[in-house]
Amino acid sequence: MSSSKNLYGNYLPEHIQPPAYGQSQERFPPPPYPSVPQGQPPYNSSGQYPSAPNAPHQPYYIPTPGPRHPPTQVTQDIGRKSTQCCNPKRRTYCYIISLFLGLSIVGIGAWIVIKFVMDSATQSTTHCPSSVTRCNSISECDDNSDELGCVRFNGVESRLEVYGWQQKQWSPVCYTAWSQSLASKTCQQLGFTSYYQTKRVIGDSSSNLVINTSQQLTNLQSILSYSSKCLTKDVVSLQCVDCGKRYKSSSRIVGGTASQEGNWPWQVSLHYKSRPVCGGTLISRGWVITASHCIFEDEAHITSNWEVYSGFISQRQLSKATLSFISKIIVHRDYNQHTNDNDIALLKLRNPLVFTAKIMPACLPTANQQFPDGSSCWITGFGLVEENANTASHSLLEAQVNIISRTTCNTRKFYDGRITENMICAGTVTGGVDSCQGDSGGPLVCKADGIYYLAGVTSWGVGCARKYKPGVYTNMLKYTQWTYAQMESNK
């Protein structure tokens, strides 16, 4: 991280270097991926990713080259020598060449057919009736998607809300008949191991949901019904995980200063084939959030290629880190490599982590939470320390940045309309503080009421720490419910 946006330059092969100043259009964008990863990325003959047309601003990521096609000069040699096949002395040789060429064509054709079939299968649409009632505890879609994402938390009090199918709106749950058992089952429904804290808070809604203890519990929405008011005017507050806390204080540090142990216990380092490539954020004992573009090639969808390190602050001291492995990779199905929209992915850990002072999750934003323009937030990572650096930081770096309004960030001087509502800008107008190659997928956290919330996921930008080119992050306010739905469907 530095005064720039990071990925691990010192871990990159020598033949892959960060783009020079003014060459942002030459960044290597990652290929598009289906919702369930399959198929072969579109490498060019050099083994690198081709630049995407009309996409001058690509993610802060330099992918590892994938498998290469046969060298171009072989094809050229075949073409040159084939003109000599009329010579009887060379006929046998030409037959061999022709056979080789024929088998190659057959192989390529077979690969195209397989890819088409696999992609068609993986991108098949969900089958739902023409009319679906969400969150009524009756699964009508074949993947149960109509019953996912029906629970959320609202405000600093973390009020439990459920989408009521009768009123077609989010409503709080009355505290009457609420129990610790229901608290635990609700959090487990969302993919957490249990609940952390539950209590009653004063309700102020004209639309509420009451618990019907005579109903069979399959999920929370199955035992709820609409009521105009709660019996005691109290509603449920629920936290599924102790999050957003750190047990070691830090002084105000700006511009990529080394972090202290325990400062950012949710920061993880993602290693692909034993090499660090991206950051990530721990959000529970078993889940990590990162960027879609970090899953940068076909083999990156193979879970055994990944390692997750947590609870450490130096790549040179991995023996002190906690090593985890991945059991599932979920890339957002609408991730767009050309616009960098929906640049978010979830990683499920094979075994849940044990929380310590060095390993704690960041909190997901609650419903209707805001991170106002000018808010002071923090970015962390192990990436490059400056735009054209050849080496990255072995130490975890931290820097303070400010939220920049979407209106400002979309002006011609900044990003000229490329910032969607799914993105958030953070940095300084004058530059000098930013994330860089290697920080991709890492956290942008903002503090509210003493708790750190994951406001963004390091995504893309132009250069590192340039004037009028702040870092662009995936806006987590838009993806909290998506995250809960994925956790729920992949328990």
Side-chain angles (χ1 to χ4, degrees):
M1 159 149 327
S2 76
S3 308
S4 319
K5 243 173 198 140
N6 307 10
L7 256 181
Y8 314 81
N10 55 325
Y11 299 105
L12 294 174
E14 294 181 357
H15 63 283
I16 305 178
Q17 298 297 335
Y21 184 89
Q23 293 181 341
S24 60
Q25 295 187 7
E26 299 304 319
R27 279 209 193 105
F28 303 112
Y33 300 104
S35 56
V36 180
Q38 296 287 352
Q40 183 78 4
Y43 302 110
N44 60 24
S45 60
S46 67
Q48 298 173 330
Y49 296 100
S51 298
N54 303 319
H57 309 305
Q58 294 301 332
Y60 282 124
Y61 182 71
I62 301 177
T64 301
R68 298 172 182 268
H69 287 305
T72 304
Q73 62 268 25
V74 173
T75 303
Q76 293 173 343
D77 288 344
I78 290 174
R80 177 176 55 82
K81 292 177 180 178
S82 63
T83 59
Q84 302 177 20
C85 286
C86 57
N87 187 339
K89 295 182 180 180
R90 303 190 59 83
R91 200 164 289 166
T92 301
Y93 177 80
C94 290
Y95 286 154
I96 295 174
I97 295 297
S98 299
L99 178 61
F100 172 78
L101 183 60
L103 291 175
S104 299
I105 294 174
V106 171
I108 293 173
W111 174 81
I112 292 174
V113 171
I114 292 173
K115 174 176 171 56
F116 175 79
V117 172
M118 294 176 71
D119 285 355
S120 298
T122 58
Q123 297 185 37
S124 59
T125 56
T126 299
H127 296 289
C128 295
S130 56
S131 178
V132 176
T133 302
R134 286 195 64 235
C135 305
N136 65 345
S137 194
I138 301 174
S139 181
E140 300 174 70
C141 298
D142 57 6
D143 63 351
N144 196 42
S145 59
D146 56 313
E147 294 302 311
L148 300 175
C150 299
V151 178
R152 74 179 190 181
F153 308 98
N154 199 347
V156 295
E157 293 179 314
S158 192
R159 297 187 184 193
L160 174 65
E161 294 184 343
V162 177
Y163 187 80
W165 63 273
Q166 294 170 310
Q167 298 298 312
K168 292 182 172 55
Q169 67 182 36
W170 292 94
S171 300
V173 177
C174 294
Y175 193 79
T176 305
W178 183 252
S179 65
Q180 292 184 353
S181 175
L182 281 177
S184 182
K185 289 177 180 177
T186 299
C187 289
Q188 290 174 7
Q189 175 180 329
L190 295 179
F192 293 92
T193 55
S194 184
Y195 81 102
Y196 164 64
Q197 179 176 284
T198 188
K199 60 183 180 180
R200 68 175 71 198
V201 295
I202 298 176
D204 56 3
S205 174
S206 60
S207 173
N208 300 276
L209 296 170
V210 296
I211 299 170
N212 188 341
T213 55
S214 64
Q215 294 290 333
Q216 183 179 0
L217 177 65
T218 55
N219 48 39
L220 184 59
Q221 55 264 36
S222 68
I223 60 170
L224 298 177
S225 57
Y226 170 74
S227 175
S228 59
K229 61 181 180 179
C230 295
L231 184 63
T232 63
K233 296 184 179 179
D234 293 329
V235 296
V236 176
S237 167
L238 176 64
Q239 289 178 269
C240 291
V241 63
D242 186 15
C243 61
K245 301 174 183 177
R246 57 185 196 177
Y247 296 98
K248 188 177 182 67
S249 62
S250 173
S251 60
R252 184 175 180 274
I253 304 173
V254 180
T257 302
S259 174
Q260 299 298 310
E261 203 167 58
N263 275 0
W264 314 105
W266 40 80
Q267 172 81 47
V268 303
S269 178
L270 306 182
H271 288 220
Y272 177 69
K273 295 183 178 179
S274 301
R275 190 169 62 86
V277 293
C278 274
T281 306
L282 188 67
I283 58 169
S284 76
R285 296 183 187 276
W287 289 93
V288 168
I289 284 182
T290 188
S292 282
H293 78 261
C294 287
I295 316 302
F296 53 89
E297 65 176 19
D298 194 42
E299 290 187 357
H301 294 97
I302 301 174
T303 57
S304 59
N305 284 332
W306 290 93
E307 298 167 334
V308 179
Y309 288 92
S310 55
F312 78 114
I313 58 172
S314 175
Q315 297 285 354
R316 289 175 172 169
Q317 296 179 333
L318 292 180
S319 60
K320 296 182 178 181
T322 297
L323 172 61
S324 302
F325 299 98
I326 296 173
S327 63
K328 195 174 190 69
I329 298 173
I330 303 171
V331 174
H332 199 288
R333 68 171 66 242
D334 295 324
Y335 167 59
N336 188 318
Q337 68 155 337
H338 302 300
T339 64
N340 307 315
D341 210 14
N342 302 302
D343 191 11
I344 187 172
L346 274 170
L347 309 177
K348 185 178 182 181
L349 303 182
R350 190 180 303 171
N351 299 112
L353 287 164
V354 176
F355 291 158
T356 67
K358 301 177 184 178
I359 302 175
M360 290 288 291
C363 292
L364 290 174
T366 59
N368 302 319
Q369 187 170 6
Q370 299 295 325
F371 302 112
D373 301 339
S375 296
S376 181
C377 303
W378 291 86
I379 52 177
T380 51
F382 292 94
L384 299 184
V385 296
E386 61 183 26
E387 183 173 331
N388 294 317
N390 293 322
T391 60
S393 173
H394 288 288
S395 300
L396 178 63
L397 299 181
E398 60 186 32
Q400 195 171 34
V401 294
N402 296 322
I403 301 297
I404 299 175
S405 73
R406 186 174 298 109
T407 300
T408 298
C409 216
N410 265 327
T411 59
R412 187 172 183 180
K413 185 180 290 186
F414 284 74
Y415 285 113
D416 198 19
R418 292 180 174 87
I419 307 303
T420 72
E421 64 178 8
N422 298 321
M423 304 172 187
I424 185 171
C425 291
T428 61
V429 173
T430 57
V433 180
D434 200 1
S435 49
C436 200
Q437 273 84 1
D439 291 332
S440 285
L444 166 71
V445 293
C446 302
K447 192 176 183 180
D449 297 307
I451 299 297
Y452 285 91
Y453 292 89
L454 182 62
V457 178
T458 305
S459 180
W460 66 280
V462 171
C464 299
R466 296 187 191 180
K467 186 177 181 180
Y468 303 127
K469 293 296 182 285
V472 184
Y473 302 80
T474 304
N475 184 3
M476 276 305 302
L477 292 171
K478 298 292 184 178
Y479 295 96
T480 298
Q481 286 309 113
W482 175 84
T483 300
Y484 285 141
Q486 299 308 314
M487 292 171 62
E488 184 176 352
S489 63
N490 292 278
K491 290 192 290 287

